[in-house]
Amino acid sequence: MAENMNRPRTQKPTDLVTDRSRPREIECQNTEVLADAYFRYEQLTLRTETFAGTLSPPYKREVLRSGRAVVVLLYDPVAQQLILIEQFRVGAYVNDLPSAWILECVAGLVDEGETNEATARREAREETGCDVRRLEFIGAYLSTPGLSDELVSIYVGEVDAARAGGVHGHVAEGEDIRTIIFSVEEALAAADHGAVVNIMAQVALLWFARHGEALRRQWLGPAIRS
C-alpha cells in the first residue's frame, strides 16, 4: 500500500481524443462497390500505420455507407416525462430476441443539405406528432465503427408530452411506430433492467440519468419546483 502511495501522480490527464502517440497514416489503395441499394456497401483495400511506426501489408475492410443520423430523446421538463417509441426491428428479429418490437428514441438519417437540428425536429413530428422546442446536444458517436460509417448525433428535445401518443410513421416505408410516454423514473428503470436494447437510446438515457435534473433546472429556471 505504501509503495502505491509513493508513486508519482499524473499532473494532467491524457487527452484521449487528440493523443499524438496514435498512428495517423492511412493509404486507401482501392474501393470496390459491393452493393448500392438503399445503403451503399463498399470493400476498401487499405494500408495503415502500425503502433510500431511502419505501414501494414494491404488488407480489406467492408463498410456500410449509411451516413449521418440523429437521435433525439424527447423530454417534457414540466411533466417530468420521457417519450420513447416502439417499432419492429429486423436486427432484433434475426437475433431471436424475446420481442422484435423494441424501445428506441426518435431517430432518422440526415437528408442532404439538412442540419442535425432540422432532422431532429422533422423526425419527432413524423414519429410522435410532437413539436420540439429547445435541443440539448449530448454528443456524437459511431454506432458500429467496425462495420458502418454511421455517425450519430444525440440530443435531448424539449416537448409537450400532452401532445404525444398514438401510432405514427410512413406506411409506404413500412413504418408502424407506437409512441410510449414514461415518467423519468420508469424510463431509467427500463434502461437499468435491460428493456432498452437499442444502444443509442441507452446512451441517451444514461446521459439523462446523470444530467437530466441539471437540464430541467436550466430549461425551467426560476419556474422550477423541486
Short mmCIF file of all heavy atoms in Angstrom, two decimals, residues 166-225:
data_model
loop_
_atom_site.label_atom_id
_atom_site.label_comp_id
_atom_site.label_asym_id
_atom_site.label_seq_id
_atom_site.Cartn_x
_atom_site.Cartn_y
_atom_site.Cartn_z
N GLY A 166 -50.28 7.71 -29.66
CA GLY A 166 -50.77 7.13 -30.90
C GLY A 166 -49.71 6.40 -31.69
O GLY A 166 -48.60 6.15 -31.22
N VAL A 167 -50.07 6.06 -32.92
CA VAL A 167 -49.20 5.33 -33.85
C VAL A 167 -48.89 6.23 -35.03
O VAL A 167 -49.78 6.88 -35.58
CB VAL A 167 -49.86 4.02 -34.31
CG1 VAL A 167 -48.98 3.30 -35.33
CG2 VAL A 167 -50.13 3.12 -33.11
N HIS A 168 -47.61 6.27 -35.43
CA HIS A 168 -47.16 7.19 -36.47
C HIS A 168 -46.26 6.45 -37.46
O HIS A 168 -46.05 5.25 -37.33
CB HIS A 168 -46.41 8.36 -35.85
CG HIS A 168 -47.23 9.13 -34.85
ND1 HIS A 168 -47.95 10.25 -35.17
CD2 HIS A 168 -47.42 8.93 -33.53
CE1 HIS A 168 -48.56 10.72 -34.10
NE2 HIS A 168 -48.26 9.93 -33.08
N GLY A 169 -45.69 7.23 -38.41
CA GLY A 169 -44.76 6.67 -39.39
C GLY A 169 -45.34 6.66 -40.79
O GLY A 169 -46.55 6.82 -40.99
N HIS A 170 -44.44 6.48 -41.78
CA HIS A 170 -44.84 6.42 -43.17
C HIS A 170 -45.21 4.98 -43.53
O HIS A 170 -44.35 4.10 -43.59
CB HIS A 170 -43.71 6.91 -44.07
CG HIS A 170 -43.39 8.36 -43.91
ND1 HIS A 170 -44.28 9.36 -44.24
CD2 HIS A 170 -42.27 8.99 -43.44
CE1 HIS A 170 -43.73 10.55 -44.00
NE2 HIS A 170 -42.52 10.33 -43.50
N VAL A 171 -46.47 4.76 -43.80
CA VAL A 171 -46.95 3.40 -44.12
C VAL A 171 -46.26 2.86 -45.37
O VAL A 171 -45.91 1.68 -45.44
CB VAL A 171 -48.49 3.41 -44.30
CG1 VAL A 171 -48.98 2.04 -44.72
CG2 VAL A 171 -49.17 3.85 -43.01
N ALA A 172 -46.03 3.73 -46.36
CA ALA A 172 -45.40 3.29 -47.61
C ALA A 172 -43.98 2.79 -47.38
O ALA A 172 -43.46 2.01 -48.19
CB ALA A 172 -45.40 4.44 -48.61
N GLU A 173 -43.35 3.21 -46.30
CA GLU A 173 -41.99 2.77 -45.98
C GLU A 173 -41.98 1.65 -44.95
O GLU A 173 -40.93 1.29 -44.43
CB GLU A 173 -41.17 3.97 -45.46
CG GLU A 173 -40.99 5.07 -46.50
CD GLU A 173 -40.22 6.26 -45.95
OE1 GLU A 173 -39.71 6.16 -44.81
OE2 GLU A 173 -40.14 7.27 -46.66
N GLY A 174 -43.16 1.11 -44.66
CA GLY A 174 -43.26 0.01 -43.71
C GLY A 174 -43.13 0.44 -42.27
O GLY A 174 -42.87 -0.39 -41.39
N GLU A 175 -43.33 1.72 -41.98
CA GLU A 175 -43.19 2.22 -40.62
C GLU A 175 -44.51 2.09 -39.85
O GLU A 175 -45.57 2.47 -40.35
CB GLU A 175 -42.74 3.69 -40.61
CG GLU A 175 -41.34 3.88 -41.12
CD GLU A 175 -40.88 5.33 -41.04
OE1 GLU A 175 -41.76 6.22 -41.02
OE2 GLU A 175 -39.66 5.57 -41.02
N ASP A 176 -44.42 1.56 -38.68
CA ASP A 176 -45.57 1.39 -37.79
C ASP A 176 -45.04 1.63 -36.38
O ASP A 176 -44.58 0.70 -35.72
CB ASP A 176 -46.15 -0.03 -37.95
CG ASP A 176 -47.39 -0.24 -37.11
OD1 ASP A 176 -48.30 0.61 -37.14
OD2 ASP A 176 -47.46 -1.28 -36.42
N ILE A 177 -45.09 2.88 -35.94
CA ILE A 177 -44.34 3.34 -34.77
C ILE A 177 -45.29 3.76 -33.67
O ILE A 177 -46.09 4.68 -33.85
CB ILE A 177 -43.41 4.51 -35.14
CG1 ILE A 177 -42.45 4.09 -36.26
CG2 ILE A 177 -42.64 4.99 -33.92
CD1 ILE A 177 -41.69 5.25 -36.88
N ARG A 178 -45.20 3.11 -32.53
CA ARG A 178 -46.05 3.45 -31.40
C ARG A 178 -45.30 4.36 -30.43
O ARG A 178 -44.15 4.11 -30.09
CB ARG A 178 -46.51 2.19 -30.68
CG ARG A 178 -47.44 2.48 -29.49
CD ARG A 178 -48.13 1.24 -28.99
NE ARG A 178 -47.22 0.26 -28.41
CZ ARG A 178 -47.62 -0.87 -27.81
NH1 ARG A 178 -48.90 -1.15 -27.75
NH2 ARG A 178 -46.73 -1.70 -27.31
N THR A 179 -45.98 5.40 -29.97
CA THR A 179 -45.41 6.34 -29.00
C THR A 179 -45.75 5.88 -27.59
O THR A 179 -46.90 5.54 -27.30
CB THR A 179 -45.98 7.75 -29.23
OG1 THR A 179 -45.67 8.17 -30.57
CG2 THR A 179 -45.37 8.74 -28.25
N ILE A 180 -44.74 5.88 -26.72
CA ILE A 180 -44.94 5.48 -25.33
C ILE A 180 -44.40 6.58 -24.42
O ILE A 180 -43.25 7.01 -24.58
CB ILE A 180 -44.26 4.14 -25.01
CG1 ILE A 180 -44.76 3.04 -25.97
CG2 ILE A 180 -44.52 3.73 -23.56
CD1 ILE A 180 -44.12 1.70 -25.74
N ILE A 181 -45.21 7.01 -23.47
CA ILE A 181 -44.83 8.07 -22.53
C ILE A 181 -44.49 7.44 -21.19
O ILE A 181 -45.29 6.70 -20.62
CB ILE A 181 -45.96 9.10 -22.38
CG1 ILE A 181 -46.33 9.69 -23.75
CG2 ILE A 181 -45.54 10.20 -21.41
CD1 ILE A 181 -47.56 10.56 -23.71
N PHE A 182 -43.28 7.73 -20.70
CA PHE A 182 -42.81 7.22 -19.42
C PHE A 182 -42.59 8.38 -18.45
O PHE A 182 -42.22 9.48 -18.88
CB PHE A 182 -41.47 6.50 -19.57
CG PHE A 182 -41.50 5.23 -20.37
CD1 PHE A 182 -41.28 5.25 -21.73
CD2 PHE A 182 -41.72 4.01 -19.74
CE1 PHE A 182 -41.29 4.07 -22.46
CE2 PHE A 182 -41.72 2.83 -20.46
CZ PHE A 182 -41.52 2.86 -21.83
N SER A 183 -42.73 8.12 -17.17
CA SER A 183 -42.13 9.04 -16.21
C SER A 183 -40.62 8.87 -16.32
O SER A 183 -40.12 7.86 -16.84
CB SER A 183 -42.59 8.72 -14.78
OG SER A 183 -42.03 7.48 -14.35
N VAL A 184 -39.87 9.88 -15.86
CA VAL A 184 -38.42 9.77 -15.90
C VAL A 184 -37.97 8.52 -15.18
O VAL A 184 -37.11 7.76 -15.67
CB VAL A 184 -37.76 11.03 -15.28
CG1 VAL A 184 -36.27 10.80 -15.05
CG2 VAL A 184 -37.98 12.23 -16.19
N GLU A 185 -38.54 8.25 -14.00
CA GLU A 185 -38.15 7.08 -13.21
C GLU A 185 -38.44 5.78 -13.97
O GLU A 185 -37.62 4.85 -13.94
CB GLU A 185 -38.89 7.07 -11.87
CG GLU A 185 -38.50 8.21 -10.93
CD GLU A 185 -39.11 9.55 -11.32
OE1 GLU A 185 -40.03 9.57 -12.16
OE2 GLU A 185 -38.67 10.58 -10.77
N GLU A 186 -39.57 5.69 -14.64
CA GLU A 186 -39.92 4.47 -15.39
C GLU A 186 -38.95 4.24 -16.55
O GLU A 186 -38.52 3.10 -16.79
CB GLU A 186 -41.34 4.59 -15.92
CG GLU A 186 -42.43 4.49 -14.86
CD GLU A 186 -43.80 4.84 -15.41
OE1 GLU A 186 -43.88 5.53 -16.46
OE2 GLU A 186 -44.80 4.43 -14.79
N ALA A 187 -38.61 5.30 -17.26
CA ALA A 187 -37.72 5.16 -18.41
C ALA A 187 -36.32 4.73 -17.98
O ALA A 187 -35.71 3.84 -18.59
CB ALA A 187 -37.65 6.46 -19.19
N LEU A 188 -35.81 5.34 -16.92
CA LEU A 188 -34.48 4.97 -16.44
C LEU A 188 -34.46 3.56 -15.87
O LEU A 188 -33.48 2.82 -16.04
CB LEU A 188 -34.00 5.98 -15.40
CG LEU A 188 -33.82 7.42 -15.91
CD1 LEU A 188 -33.29 8.32 -14.80
CD2 LEU A 188 -32.92 7.47 -17.14
N ALA A 189 -35.55 3.16 -15.23
CA ALA A 189 -35.64 1.79 -14.72
C ALA A 189 -35.67 0.79 -15.87
O ALA A 189 -35.06 -0.28 -15.79
CB ALA A 189 -36.88 1.63 -13.85
N ALA A 190 -36.36 1.13 -16.95
CA ALA A 190 -36.40 0.25 -18.13
C ALA A 190 -35.00 0.04 -18.69
O ALA A 190 -34.61 -1.07 -19.07
CB ALA A 190 -37.32 0.83 -19.19
N ALA A 191 -34.21 1.13 -18.74
CA ALA A 191 -32.84 1.02 -19.23
C ALA A 191 -31.99 0.17 -18.29
O ALA A 191 -31.21 -0.67 -18.72
CB ALA A 191 -32.23 2.41 -19.40
N ASP A 192 -32.16 0.38 -16.99
CA ASP A 192 -31.38 -0.36 -16.00
C ASP A 192 -31.69 -1.85 -16.03
O ASP A 192 -30.81 -2.68 -15.75
CB ASP A 192 -31.65 0.18 -14.59
CG ASP A 192 -30.97 1.52 -14.34
OD1 ASP A 192 -30.03 1.86 -15.09
OD2 ASP A 192 -31.38 2.23 -13.40
N HIS A 193 -32.92 -2.21 -16.34
CA HIS A 193 -33.35 -3.61 -16.27
C HIS A 193 -33.28 -4.35 -17.61
O HIS A 193 -33.81 -5.44 -17.75
CB HIS A 193 -34.77 -3.68 -15.71
CG HIS A 193 -34.88 -3.15 -14.30
ND1 HIS A 193 -36.00 -2.52 -13.83
CD2 HIS A 193 -33.99 -3.17 -13.29
CE1 HIS A 193 -35.80 -2.17 -12.57
NE2 HIS A 193 -34.59 -2.55 -12.22
N GLY A 194 -32.62 -3.74 -18.60
CA GLY A 194 -32.39 -4.43 -19.87
C GLY A 194 -33.52 -4.38 -20.86
O GLY A 194 -33.50 -5.10 -21.85
N ALA A 195 -34.50 -3.51 -20.62
CA ALA A 195 -35.63 -3.43 -21.54
C ALA A 195 -35.33 -2.56 -22.76
O ALA A 195 -36.10 -2.54 -23.71
CB ALA A 195 -36.87 -2.87 -20.82
N VAL A 196 -34.19 -1.84 -22.74
CA VAL A 196 -33.81 -0.98 -23.86
C VAL A 196 -32.54 -1.57 -24.49
O VAL A 196 -31.45 -1.44 -23.94
CB VAL A 196 -33.55 0.47 -23.39
CG1 VAL A 196 -33.18 1.36 -24.58
CG2 VAL A 196 -34.77 1.03 -22.67
N VAL A 197 -32.69 -2.22 -25.64
CA VAL A 197 -31.55 -2.88 -26.28
C VAL A 197 -30.97 -2.05 -27.42
O VAL A 197 -29.94 -2.41 -27.98
CB VAL A 197 -31.93 -4.29 -26.79
CG1 VAL A 197 -32.31 -5.19 -25.62
CG2 VAL A 197 -33.06 -4.23 -27.81
N ASN A 198 -31.63 -0.97 -27.78
CA ASN A 198 -31.09 -0.05 -28.78
C ASN A 198 -29.98 0.77 -28.11
O ASN A 198 -30.23 1.48 -27.13
CB ASN A 198 -32.20 0.86 -29.31
CG ASN A 198 -31.67 1.89 -30.30
OD1 ASN A 198 -30.97 2.82 -29.93
ND2 ASN A 198 -32.04 1.74 -31.55
N ILE A 199 -28.75 0.69 -28.63
CA ILE A 199 -27.61 1.27 -27.94
C ILE A 199 -27.69 2.79 -27.87
O ILE A 199 -27.29 3.40 -26.86
CB ILE A 199 -26.28 0.82 -28.59
CG1 ILE A 199 -25.08 1.28 -27.74
CG2 ILE A 199 -26.14 1.32 -30.01
CD1 ILE A 199 -25.06 0.76 -26.34
N MET A 200 -28.20 3.45 -28.90
CA MET A 200 -28.25 4.91 -28.86
C MET A 200 -29.30 5.40 -27.87
O MET A 200 -29.12 6.44 -27.23
CB MET A 200 -28.50 5.47 -30.26
CG MET A 200 -27.31 5.26 -31.18
SD MET A 200 -25.76 5.91 -30.46
CE MET A 200 -24.55 5.11 -31.48
N ALA A 201 -30.39 4.66 -27.73
CA ALA A 201 -31.36 5.00 -26.68
C ALA A 201 -30.73 4.82 -25.31
O ALA A 201 -30.95 5.62 -24.39
CB ALA A 201 -32.61 4.14 -26.82
N GLN A 202 -29.92 3.77 -25.16
CA GLN A 202 -29.22 3.55 -23.89
C GLN A 202 -28.27 4.70 -23.60
O GLN A 202 -28.18 5.18 -22.46
CB GLN A 202 -28.45 2.23 -23.92
CG GLN A 202 -29.25 1.02 -23.53
CD GLN A 202 -29.38 0.88 -22.02
OE1 GLN A 202 -29.04 1.78 -21.26
NE2 GLN A 202 -29.89 -0.25 -21.58
N VAL A 203 -27.52 5.14 -24.60
CA VAL A 203 -26.60 6.27 -24.41
C VAL A 203 -27.36 7.51 -23.96
O VAL A 203 -26.96 8.20 -23.02
CB VAL A 203 -25.82 6.56 -25.71
CG1 VAL A 203 -25.06 7.88 -25.61
CG2 VAL A 203 -24.86 5.42 -26.03
N ALA A 204 -28.47 7.80 -24.63
CA ALA A 204 -29.26 8.97 -24.27
C ALA A 204 -29.80 8.88 -22.84
O ALA A 204 -29.76 9.85 -22.08
CB ALA A 204 -30.42 9.14 -25.26
N LEU A 205 -30.30 7.70 -22.47
CA LEU A 205 -30.86 7.54 -21.13
C LEU A 205 -29.78 7.56 -20.05
O LEU A 205 -30.00 8.09 -18.96
CB LEU A 205 -31.68 6.24 -21.07
CG LEU A 205 -33.00 6.28 -21.86
CD1 LEU A 205 -33.58 4.88 -21.99
CD2 LEU A 205 -34.01 7.22 -21.20
N LEU A 206 -28.63 6.99 -20.34
CA LEU A 206 -27.53 7.04 -19.37
C LEU A 206 -27.07 8.49 -19.16
O LEU A 206 -26.78 8.90 -18.03
CB LEU A 206 -26.36 6.18 -19.86
CG LEU A 206 -26.56 4.66 -19.74
CD1 LEU A 206 -25.43 3.92 -20.45
CD2 LEU A 206 -26.63 4.23 -18.29
N TRP A 207 -26.99 9.25 -20.24
CA TRP A 207 -26.64 10.67 -20.11
C TRP A 207 -27.70 11.38 -19.27
O TRP A 207 -27.37 12.16 -18.38
CB TRP A 207 -26.56 11.33 -21.49
CG TRP A 207 -26.13 12.77 -21.44
CD1 TRP A 207 -24.86 13.26 -21.56
CD2 TRP A 207 -26.97 13.91 -21.23
NE1 TRP A 207 -24.86 14.62 -21.45
CE2 TRP A 207 -26.15 15.06 -21.25
CE3 TRP A 207 -28.34 14.07 -21.04
CZ2 TRP A 207 -26.65 16.35 -21.07
CZ3 TRP A 207 -28.84 15.36 -20.85
CH2 TRP A 207 -28.00 16.48 -20.87
N PHE A 208 -28.98 11.08 -19.56
CA PHE A 208 -30.06 11.76 -18.85
C PHE A 208 -30.04 11.40 -17.37
O PHE A 208 -30.35 12.25 -16.51
CB PHE A 208 -31.41 11.40 -19.47
CG PHE A 208 -32.52 12.29 -19.00
CD1 PHE A 208 -32.81 13.47 -19.68
CD2 PHE A 208 -33.27 11.98 -17.88
CE1 PHE A 208 -33.81 14.31 -19.24
CE2 PHE A 208 -34.27 12.80 -17.44
CZ PHE A 208 -34.55 13.98 -18.11
N ALA A 209 -29.68 10.17 -17.04
CA ALA A 209 -29.62 9.77 -15.64
C ALA A 209 -28.63 10.64 -14.86
O ALA A 209 -28.82 10.92 -13.68
CB ALA A 209 -29.25 8.30 -15.53
N ARG A 210 -27.55 11.05 -15.52
CA ARG A 210 -26.52 11.86 -14.87
C ARG A 210 -26.83 13.35 -14.93
O ARG A 210 -26.51 14.09 -14.00
CB ARG A 210 -25.16 11.62 -15.52
CG ARG A 210 -24.58 10.22 -15.29
CD ARG A 210 -23.16 10.16 -15.78
NE ARG A 210 -22.30 11.09 -15.06
CZ ARG A 210 -21.07 11.44 -15.45
NH1 ARG A 210 -20.57 10.93 -16.57
NH2 ARG A 210 -20.35 12.27 -14.74
N HIS A 211 -27.43 13.81 -16.03
CA HIS A 211 -27.52 15.25 -16.26
C HIS A 211 -28.96 15.77 -16.40
O HIS A 211 -29.14 16.97 -16.60
CB HIS A 211 -26.75 15.61 -17.55
CG HIS A 211 -25.33 15.14 -17.55
ND1 HIS A 211 -24.35 15.73 -16.78
CD2 HIS A 211 -24.72 14.14 -18.23
CE1 HIS A 211 -23.19 15.13 -16.99
NE2 HIS A 211 -23.39 14.15 -17.87
N GLY A 212 -29.94 14.89 -16.33
CA GLY A 212 -31.31 15.29 -16.59
C GLY A 212 -31.83 16.36 -15.63
O GLY A 212 -32.52 17.30 -16.05
N GLU A 213 -31.52 16.22 -14.35
CA GLU A 213 -32.03 17.20 -13.38
C GLU A 213 -31.41 18.57 -13.62
O GLU A 213 -32.10 19.59 -13.51
CB GLU A 213 -31.75 16.72 -11.96
CG GLU A 213 -32.29 17.64 -10.87
CD GLU A 213 -33.78 17.90 -10.97
OE1 GLU A 213 -34.52 17.03 -11.48
OE2 GLU A 213 -34.21 18.99 -10.53
N ALA A 214 -30.12 18.61 -13.94
CA ALA A 214 -29.48 19.89 -14.25
C ALA A 214 -30.09 20.52 -15.49
O ALA A 214 -30.29 21.74 -15.55
CB ALA A 214 -27.98 19.69 -14.44
N LEU A 215 -30.42 19.70 -16.50
CA LEU A 215 -31.05 20.21 -17.71
C LEU A 215 -32.44 20.76 -17.40
O LEU A 215 -32.83 21.81 -17.91
CB LEU A 215 -31.13 19.10 -18.76
CG LEU A 215 -31.77 19.51 -20.09
CD1 LEU A 215 -30.94 20.59 -20.78
CD2 LEU A 215 -31.92 18.29 -21.00
N ARG A 216 -33.17 20.06 -16.55
CA ARG A 216 -34.50 20.53 -16.15
C ARG A 216 -34.43 21.90 -15.50
O ARG A 216 -35.21 22.81 -15.80
CB ARG A 216 -35.15 19.52 -15.22
CG ARG A 216 -36.51 19.94 -14.67
CD ARG A 216 -37.15 18.78 -13.91
NE ARG A 216 -38.35 19.22 -13.23
CZ ARG A 216 -38.43 19.49 -11.93
NH1 ARG A 216 -37.35 19.35 -11.16
NH2 ARG A 216 -39.55 19.90 -11.39
N ARG A 217 -33.46 22.08 -14.62
CA ARG A 217 -33.29 23.36 -13.94
C ARG A 217 -32.86 24.45 -14.92
O ARG A 217 -33.28 25.61 -14.81
CB ARG A 217 -32.29 23.22 -12.79
CG ARG A 217 -32.81 22.34 -11.66
CD ARG A 217 -31.83 22.23 -10.51
NE ARG A 217 -32.36 21.37 -9.47
CZ ARG A 217 -33.22 21.76 -8.52
NH1 ARG A 217 -33.62 23.03 -8.49
NH2 ARG A 217 -33.66 20.92 -7.62
N GLN A 218 -32.05 24.08 -15.87
CA GLN A 218 -31.60 25.04 -16.89
C GLN A 218 -32.78 25.50 -17.74
O GLN A 218 -32.91 26.70 -18.04
CB GLN A 218 -30.53 24.39 -17.78
CG GLN A 218 -30.10 25.23 -18.96
CD GLN A 218 -29.20 24.44 -19.90
OE1 GLN A 218 -28.36 23.65 -19.46
NE2 GLN A 218 -29.38 24.63 -21.20
N TRP A 219 -33.63 24.57 -18.15
CA TRP A 219 -34.74 24.91 -19.03
C TRP A 219 -35.86 25.64 -18.31
O TRP A 219 -36.47 26.56 -18.86
CB TRP A 219 -35.29 23.64 -19.70
CG TRP A 219 -34.47 23.21 -20.89
CD1 TRP A 219 -33.43 23.88 -21.46
CD2 TRP A 219 -34.63 22.02 -21.65
NE1 TRP A 219 -32.93 23.18 -22.53
CE2 TRP A 219 -33.65 22.03 -22.67
CE3 TRP A 219 -35.50 20.93 -21.57
CZ2 TRP A 219 -33.52 21.00 -23.60
CZ3 TRP A 219 -35.37 19.90 -22.49
CH2 TRP A 219 -34.40 19.94 -23.51
N LEU A 220 -36.16 25.23 -17.08
CA LEU A 220 -37.29 25.83 -16.37
C LEU A 220 -36.90 27.07 -15.56
O LEU A 220 -37.75 27.92 -15.29
CB LEU A 220 -37.94 24.79 -15.45
CG LEU A 220 -38.58 23.60 -16.14
CD1 LEU A 220 -39.28 22.72 -15.12
CD2 LEU A 220 -39.56 24.04 -17.23
N GLY A 221 -35.63 27.17 -15.17
CA GLY A 221 -35.18 28.35 -14.46
C GLY A 221 -35.96 28.62 -13.20
O GLY A 221 -36.26 27.72 -12.42
N PRO A 222 -36.31 29.90 -12.97
CA PRO A 222 -37.00 30.28 -11.73
C PRO A 222 -38.36 29.59 -11.55
O PRO A 222 -38.87 29.53 -10.42
CB PRO A 222 -37.18 31.80 -11.87
CG PRO A 222 -36.15 32.21 -12.88
CD PRO A 222 -36.01 31.04 -13.82
N ALA A 223 -38.94 29.09 -12.64
CA ALA A 223 -40.28 28.49 -12.54
C ALA A 223 -40.23 27.08 -11.95
O ALA A 223 -41.28 26.50 -11.67
CB ALA A 223 -40.93 28.43 -13.91
N ILE A 224 -39.02 26.52 -11.76
CA ILE A 224 -38.93 25.14 -11.33
C ILE A 224 -39.41 24.97 -9.89
O ILE A 224 -39.25 25.85 -9.05
CB ILE A 224 -37.47 24.62 -11.44
CG1 ILE A 224 -37.43 23.10 -11.33
CG2 ILE A 224 -36.57 25.25 -10.42
CD1 ILE A 224 -36.10 22.50 -11.69
N ARG A 225 -40.01 23.83 -9.68
CA ARG A 225 -40.41 23.46 -8.32
C ARG A 225 -39.77 22.12 -8.00
O ARG A 225 -39.91 21.16 -8.73
CB ARG A 225 -41.94 23.33 -8.22
CG ARG A 225 -42.68 24.66 -8.40
CD ARG A 225 -44.17 24.45 -8.26
NE ARG A 225 -44.89 25.71 -8.44
CZ ARG A 225 -46.23 25.79 -8.39
NH1 ARG A 225 -46.96 24.73 -8.18
NH2 ARG A 225 -46.82 26.97 -8.57
#
